[in-house]
Amino acid sequence: MRPALSRWTLAWWSGGHGALGSMLRAATWPAEALFGSVTGARNAGYARGWLRTTQAPIPVVSIGNLTVGGVGKTPFAAWLAGEVARWGRCPAIVLRGYGSDEVQVHAELNPDVPVFVAPRRAIGVAEAARAGRDVAILDDAFQHRALSRDLDVVLVSSESWTDRRRLLPRGPWRESITALRRAGVVVVT
């Protein structure tokens, strides 16, 4: 997202831009309701076992959040990978990669921890296991439920916490606050 558009969107999500912002929030309410319904149905499908998850061949730790934007997932995942390596394990970072700079950031922060990029994280974890890695750390994967994991760590930004928790596209929330029930650990950044 371009910086000016990003600033505009963040201000709009925070209730700004006067009458235009209000009209746009009203116009996007149906899209938010649809997004919430689809997300809720999908989560219910996983919770009830109607949607399948792939079992990983090695332990998996997911790092994620409930909102779009930076809350420090990549630095936290890199820190955790470094700690796991210091404990004598052989971690790998697995992420989708979709054209972002996270791969380079991980390579710079932990040159000895390999990064596996795969659109389907189960494939990335399987590749990591075949390469001799014994722990997979998923960067930005809390909403990716198709792969089972042993621990979900969710980062929550204290700066972006508001009483208005609007779902996309009316706000930055990917899912409702009740999704924190799935988390094993919540970290406030």
Side-chain angles (χ1 to χ4, degrees):
M1 200 181 301
R2 294 190 325 239
L5 180 59
S6 177
R7 283 191 300 277
W8 192 95
T9 303
L10 292 173
W12 174 63
W13 282 342
S14 297
H17 299 300
L20 173 63
S22 294
M23 288 188 302
L24 188 56
R25 277 185 292 281
T28 56
W29 178 88
E32 177 189 29
L34 177 62
F35 182 83
S37 296
V38 169
T39 301
R42 180 177 173 273
N43 283 333
Y46 279 112
R48 290 177 175 83
W50 299 333
L51 295 175
R52 294 179 151 229
T53 59
T54 300
Q55 190 64 38
I58 57 177
V60 174
V61 178
S62 165
I63 310 299
N65 66 345
L66 295 180
T67 60
V68 298
V71 297
K73 293 180 302 292
T74 296
F76 189 91
W79 169 81
L80 183 60
E83 289 299 304
V84 169
R86 279 186 276 288
W87 299 336
R89 303 298 298 264
C90 296
I93 298 288
V94 178
L95 47 81
R96 286 180 65 183
Y98 37 63
S100 62
D101 61 351
E102 281 101 351
V103 174
Q104 185 62 34
V105 170
H106 282 295
E108 289 176 15
L109 293 175
N110 287 314
D112 296 330
V113 176
V115 178
F116 294 83
V117 178
R120 292 189 53 232
R121 288 181 181 93
I123 292 170
V125 171
E127 289 174 5
R130 282 192 297 277
R133 301 284 112 181
D134 60 9
V135 176
I137 298 171
L138 308 181
D139 186 348
D140 194 11
F142 186 60
Q143 284 75 31
H144 178 77
R145 310 246 346 240
L147 177 65
S148 65
R149 49 299 218 56
D150 299 279
L151 179 64
D152 276 303
V153 178
V154 178
L155 279 58
V156 176
S157 170
S158 63
E159 296 171 346
S160 65
W161 193 264
T162 68
D163 289 337
R164 283 188 222 136
R165 289 187 280 277
R166 294 184 180 117
L167 296 175
L168 290 166
R170 287 180 76 215
W173 290 78
R174 297 176 183 188
E175 38 184 336
S176 77
I177 194 77
T178 59
L180 286 178
R181 294 181 193 141
R182 296 194 323 264
V185 176
V186 176
V187 176
V188 178
T189 62

